[in-house]
Amino acid sequence: FHVTGVQTCALPIYVSLAAREMPLADLTDLLTECLERNRRFNITGLLVYHNREFMQLLEGRKEDVLALYDVIVRDERHQQVHLMWEGAIEQRSFADWRMAFLMPGELSLDSNPAYSRFMQDGLSHCNAGMTESVGRQFLLSLRDDFLKVAHAI
């Protein structure tokens, strides 16, 4: 993706298909790996996993987000990576980076500060006072689509 302008942050939202079903242990490892990397590069946002589908909103310095997106596209855990929305922002909508998923056993992660209950509670419980944005609205819309499919199955 290409972000232009003088804005300080890039904001991509992508969806992808996991190469295989990811058990809770693999998701926990992914959460730890991503949290460390994203803190190091000051990347904020939210990663969601449900029924082998990923969706992620990333915020950060353009160069850092571009480098991370390139890593994601080449990551063997992802297939069919599709950029759903992109833009440049002047202010972040997320205070930190978190991961959410909806599967049995996830409640054991409630004590992990990087775990988000986004799939159950939306964005109301986290990032109080953060700026509403097109990216956040898009993420909520994708969440609703994920949940519709989950309830239809």
Side-chain angles (χ1 to χ4, degrees), residues 22-98:
M22 297 188 72
L24 186 59
D26 289 355
L27 290 170
T28 303
D29 291 345
L30 179 64
L31 186 149
T32 301
E33 172 190 331
C34 293
L35 179 63
E36 291 170 5
R37 180 185 54 231
N38 293 341
R39 280 185 177 163
R40 188 170 48 245
F41 292 101
N42 196 26
I43 291 176
T44 58
L46 181 67
L47 171 64
V48 178
Y49 174 84
H50 181 61
N51 287 342
R52 288 190 59 205
E53 292 182 271
F54 286 106
M55 81 175 157
Q56 184 163 210
L57 177 149
L58 297 166
E59 299 174 320
R61 217 171 53 105
K62 177 181 174 182
E63 295 80 12
D64 296 332
V65 172
L66 287 171
L68 177 57
Y69 185 74
D70 186 51
V71 168
I72 291 165
V73 168
R74 291 183 286 116
D75 189 319
E76 293 179 357
R77 292 174 287 200
H78 294 276
Q79 298 175 341
Q80 303 173 23
V81 179
H82 297 284
L83 186 63
M84 301 296 293
W85 191 83
E86 65 180 289
I89 55 174
E90 293 183 26
Q91 184 175 358
R92 295 175 190 241
S93 296
F94 289 86
D96 53 20
W97 179 89
R98 293 184 181 223

Side-chain angles (χ1 to χ4, degrees), residues 50-51 53 145-153:
H50 181 61
N51 287 342
E53 292 182 271
D145 289 346
F146 273 22
L147 292 176
K148 284 178 195 171
V149 170
H151 294 312
I153 295 175

